[in-house]
Amino acid sequence: MTTLADLAELVRAPAALSVPGDVVAGAAAAGALGPRTPALAGASVLLYWAGMAANDWADRGLDAVERPERPIPSGRITPAAAVGLAAGLTAAGVGLAAAVGGRRAAALAVPLAATIWGYDLLAKNTAAGPAVMAACRGLDVLLGASGGRVTRALPAAVTVAAHTWTVTALSRREVSGADAALPMRTLAGTALVAASAALPHARRAAASAADQGGANDEVGGRASRTRSAGVAAVLPAVLAGWYAARYGAAQAEVIRDPSAGRVRAAVGAGITGLPALQGALTARGGAGLLGLAVAAAAPLGRRLARKVSPT
């Protein structure tokens, strides 16, 4: 009989903690944070779980050889149940996004769902796999921005997509191990991603400069604004540095020892460390406290990953 634990393993439930931050970061960048943001984040989680279930269904033959302990090859979940769950979660995710975000959200949720299924069924084992998975995450960020100026969220979407490319490229060597060149490339990508997230948002930096220039001469007011601007500038860099330190250290270990176990550990670090990057982008969009809350999912995800593997 299938249990909740079996379903959690199928959809890699703890890894879903890395998903809501996409939507929050996109909404912050687009000036669209509001009451519907949590519901869009929920839709994003449903689509992510759908992709995980569809992934295991598509890989059931390969997993029977390489990972016979997975829910489908072990017999704990039937292939029909897995693909049915994936289809149901997809419909629920797209439906929820459309219900709360209207046509603009649906216009992003539908291609996001199609890209997820396209990765699982067609692109995963091709050279295009990492790019397609990166597109999934980029569209997820833009889903959060659908209620505002979507173009303003494009830099955040590209940043998250670039991170996803590094994780996906590593994940393709989870069983066989990697040569040292691969983690060197992904580590260089991680450095660029962290630097991008740490940079101040150009629009907000300009607004801050304008506020400073038009400020009155009251000493206390000037000091308060200066401290606030300082915190706003530093927080994204701190969170981006946290992301880079943890994920980067795991990749450095793969350079030293490119065995399958080290690669899997680096992939796990990339998945569970993503909230820190999303938090940096959220803070960069002007929502510092919310950015800290998003980043707090990173240590929680690492603890849960000890119980249910995110890879």
Side-chain angles (χ1 to χ4, degrees):
M1 180 180 294
T2 299
T3 67
L4 286 177
D6 296 330
L7 293 173
E9 186 178 350
L10 178 72
V11 301
R12 297 165 180 80
L17 287 172
S18 73
V19 178
D22 287 343
V23 169
V24 174
L33 285 170
R36 67 180 179 178
T37 302
L40 288 175
S44 176
V45 169
L46 292 173
L47 291 173
Y48 182 87
W49 280 340
M52 292 297 100
N55 177 77
D56 268 27
W57 177 76
D59 276 358
R60 62 193 184 279
L62 181 62
D63 283 347
V65 177
E66 294 183 344
R67 299 182 181 185
E69 74 281 0
R70 292 293 301 162
I72 296 177
S74 67
R76 289 176 287 142
I77 295 178
T78 66
V83 74
L85 178 64
L89 288 169
T90 300
V94 171
L96 178 58
V100 300
R103 291 181 179 178
R104 295 187 68 186
L108 287 159
V110 170
L112 172 57
T115 306
I116 289 170
W117 280 86
Y119 172 81
D120 287 333
L121 300 181
L122 299 172
K124 177 169 49 181
N125 296 318
T126 72
V132 175
M133 179 56 76
C136 291
R137 282 288 188 168
L139 286 168
D140 203 30
V141 173
L142 296 181
L143 176 63
S146 59
R149 298 283 295 276
V150 174
T151 55
R152 290 178 176 170
L154 285 174
V158 170
T159 300
V160 172
H163 162 81
T164 304
W165 181 90
T166 69
V167 176
T168 308
L170 285 169
S171 72
R172 291 155 71 91
R173 297 293 181 268
E174 285 184 309
V175 175
S176 63
D179 59 82
L182 175 61
M184 289 178 68
R185 290 195 298 270
T186 61
L187 183 56
T190 297
L192 291 174
V193 165
S196 174
L199 290 174
H201 193 291
R203 178 172 59 87
R204 295 191 180 279
S208 177
D211 289 344
Q212 292 280 346
N216 60 43
D217 291 332
E218 184 180 348
V219 174
R222 281 204 311 273
S224 176
R225 283 190 297 276
T226 299
R227 286 193 298 270
S228 177
V231 171
V234 169
L235 185 56
V238 170
L239 293 177
W242 179 25
Y243 151 80
R246 292 201 61 89
Y247 184 32
Q251 292 171 87
E253 284 296 310
V254 180
I255 295 173
R256 184 184 64 81
D257 173 15
S259 64
R262 291 292 185 187
V263 173
R264 284 194 294 273
V267 172
I271 294 171
T272 60
L274 177 55
L277 174 63
Q278 295 161 334
L281 293 170
T282 301
R284 184 172 176 252
L289 289 177
L290 186 56
L292 286 172
V294 169
L300 177 58
R302 284 194 295 274
R303 292 192 189 95
L304 292 176
R306 299 188 189 110
K307 299 181 180 296
V308 180
S309 174
T311 69

